Amino acid sequence: MSLDESISHQSLLKVKVWRGKEDGQWMNYEVPARENQTVLDVVSEIQRKLEPGLAYRYACRVGVCGSCAMTVNGKPRWTCRTHVKKVSGTGELTIEPLRNLPRIKDLVCDLAPFIDTWQKAGAPFSGIQTRHQEPAKVDPGSKARKAADAGLQCINCAVCYSACDVVSWDKDYIGPAGLNRAWTLINDARHGKRAETFNKAFGEGGCGSCHSQGNCTRHCPIGLSPSESITGLKKSALFGLPKV
Amino acid sequence: MERYLFLAQRLTAMVLGPLVLIHLGLILYAVEGGLTASKILSRTRGSVGWGAFYGLFVIMAAIHGPIGLRNVLNEWTSLPKTATLIITLGLGLLLLILGARSVVAVVGLGG
Ligand code: SF4
Ligand code: SF4
Ligand code: FES
């Protein structure tokens, strides 16, 4: 399939896109290769001009929301922040949904199991103070606060979850993002259930299953380090909860 | 439980590290020095030190190995978690019994 005659002299990008659910198939498309083009641009161009029924997700297009995550040439990425040139040395692209999550249609997967892992890791914040009390004074330079701050910017994109082999082997494993979230809470003086969160993060499917190879950290688009947070959790098993 | 298994595995690894090195050094020493089985046994029989050394080795290995194997089984098979626990508990017991037998054979009971 190619676009209209006017661009036939332009070089074309060969794109393989997954269509359907688990039992779907690869479809081949060709779109013009442009000087400046993100993988999301390519997906949008296919959907607008060649395959109107193609399902995919995006919202902000500028690396803020995390909803455009897909597997591009075998690696989980934010497609809006991935320039085609960066990933397609061969002039070819393969685009499929994130790994480790049930597929819904084409490039869209069901994030519910991923969000559930946050609950499993004891993620809900539980305040100790009422609105009538003075806000807690937290020293921004303290070790615990720095540890919490380091993991706080996570936007639930599931890229790390998709990159993790242990998640693909062990469906009970909480995975990097949930454990990272637990570690930020355990280091938060205002969280009332630190011990409970820790017990969950170290329960069945908890941080003890992590291999510490850091594939999650390698792929996190905003440079967070879930593996470092997990190391913090593991150390706490020996040395007790961090002081907040 | 996961937390205690994790700790047990790490702590036994810390103990096993030097024990394994000494054990390997000992094998080299015995082979290079041309020690025969009977000469080795004459030194180990009745030795409280070697009894304690290999006794500790066996206990640590019987704890450490099965915990790791349980993780491998949980990741690589679809066996239910209670099954992997029972299998690896069994393995731990087996290691303990076989290990204890060899310690008794090398050190002798009551010298
Ligand atoms: S370091 Fe742990 S959480 Fe991160 S990818 Fe590896 S096993 Fe998964
Ligand atoms: S840790 Fe990074 S990769 Fe993982 S969900 Fe959060 S933002 Fe995405
Ligand atoms: S569309 Fe929002 S991060 Fe890509």
Side-chain angles (χ1 to χ4, degrees), chain A residues 78 114 118 151 153-161 176-177 180 216 219-226:
Chain A
W78 288 354
F114 169 67
W118 287 53
Q153 302 298 329
C154 171
I155 57 166
N156 310 4
C157 69
V159 161
C160 55
Y161 189 77
N180 176 69
C216 48
H219 288 87
C220 174
I222 44 177
L224 301 189
S225 181

Side-chain angles (χ1 to χ4, degrees), chain A residues 40 57-69 78-81 155:
Chain A
L40 183 62
R57 275 201 193 107
Y58 75 97
C60 71
R61 295 190 299 131
V62 288
V64 175
C65 69
S67 57
C68 64
W78 288 354
T79 51
C80 74
R81 297 292 289 167
I155 57 166

Side-chain angles (χ1 to χ4, degrees), chain A residues 160 163-166 173 175-176 209-217 227 230:
Chain A
C160 55
C164 178
D165 277 344
V166 178
Y173 180 44
S209 306
C210 167
H211 287 203
S212 309
Q213 299 279 345
N215 213 30
C216 48
T217 299
S227 53
I230 295 171

Side-chain angles (χ1 to χ4, degrees), chain A:
Chain A
M1 251 179 274
S2 79
L3 292 175
D4 59 47
E5 285 300 302
S6 63
I7 48 108
S8 60
H9 61 280
Q10 237 179 317
S11 66
L12 290 170
L13 193 65
K14 288 191 165 70
V15 193
K16 266 168 84 175
V17 178
W18 184 259
R19 299 230 49 210
K21 286 179 84 161
E22 320 289 340
D23 54 352
Q25 56 179 330
W26 290 103
M27 295 290 285
N28 293 303
Y29 303 93
E30 285 182 345
V31 295
R34 300 176 199 280
E35 193 41 38
N36 250 326
Q37 190 178 31
T38 65
V39 175
L40 183 62
D41 292 336
V42 170
V43 175
S44 302
E45 189 157 359
I46 293 174
Q47 189 266 328
R48 285 185 194 160
K49 299 191 174 158
L50 304 172
E51 194 69 75
L54 180 67
Y56 65 109
R57 275 201 193 107
Y58 75 97
C60 71
R61 295 190 299 131
V62 288
V64 175
C65 69
S67 57
C68 64
M70 300 169 202
T71 306
V72 183
N73 287 7
K75 292 189 177 156
R77 295 176 172 281
W78 288 354
T79 51
C80 74
R81 297 292 289 167
T82 303
H83 278 268
V84 169
K85 279 192 183 150
K86 193 172 151 196
V87 285
S88 144
T90 54
E92 287 188 9
L93 276 182
T94 61
I95 309 173
E96 58 193 307
L98 285 179
R99 190 170 72 131
N100 295 342
L101 289 162
R103 296 176 172 192
I104 296 176
K105 181 177 186 249
D106 304 341
L107 301 171
V108 178
C109 51
D110 181 4
L111 287 171
F114 169 67
I115 302 299
D116 288 348
T117 64
W118 287 53
Q119 304 299 319
K120 205 173 159 196
F125 175 80
S126 159
I128 342 176
Q129 289 180 303
T130 68
R131 66 179 67 209
H132 306 296
Q133 284 170 292
E134 278 271 294
K137 287 193 178 60
V138 177
D139 174 8
S142 71
K143 202 174 160 214
R145 194 59 231 172
K146 281 183 174 163
D149 284 344
L152 218 52
Q153 302 298 329
C154 171
I155 57 166
N156 310 4
C157 69
V159 161
C160 55
Y161 189 77
S162 169
C164 178
D165 277 344
V166 178
V167 170
S168 71
W169 296 326
D170 181 358
K171 284 291 162 246
D172 289 333
Y173 180 44
I174 293 172
L179 292 172
N180 176 69
R181 168 68 179 158
W183 181 237
T184 61
L185 284 174
I186 286 165
N187 280 285
D188 189 340
R190 300 161 309 146
H191 180 46
K193 296 184 174 166
R194 294 172 64 235
E196 199 174 296
T197 301
F198 179 70
N199 287 339
K200 285 193 176 167
F202 227 119
E204 190 169 325
C207 62
S209 306
C210 167
H211 287 203
S212 309
Q213 299 279 345
N215 213 30
C216 48
T217 299
R218 197 188 178 104
H219 288 87
C220 174
I222 44 177
L224 301 189
S225 181
S227 53
E228 211 173 308
S229 299
I230 295 171
T231 306
L233 286 169
K234 287 177 174 174
K235 280 190 187 154
S236 310
L238 194 56
F239 301 113
L241 292 188
K243 260 183 111 137
V244 291

Side-chain angles (χ1 to χ4, degrees), chain B residues 9-91:
Chain B
Q9 197 190 22
R10 291 330 189 256
L11 295 176
T12 49
M14 279 165 62
V15 179
L16 276 170
L19 295 188
V20 168
L21 288 180
I22 296 171
H23 176 62
L24 288 177
L26 209 64
I27 293 173
L28 286 180
Y29 171 76
V31 172
E32 293 295 315
L35 285 181
T36 60
S38 55
K39 275 190 190 153
I40 294 175
L41 283 178
S42 72
R43 294 182 193 190
T44 56
R45 281 275 149 92
S47 159
V48 178
W50 286 123
F53 179 89
Y54 279 111
L56 185 66
F57 201 132
V58 165
I59 294 169
M60 292 295 121
I63 298 173
H64 182 84
I67 298 177
L69 187 76
R70 174 175 167 267
N71 292 343
V72 174
L73 288 177
N74 283 343
E75 282 171 11
W76 288 77
T77 69
S78 50
L79 290 170
K81 305 241 149 128
T82 34
T84 61
L85 184 67
I86 291 168
I87 292 172
T88 48
L89 262 178
L91 179 84

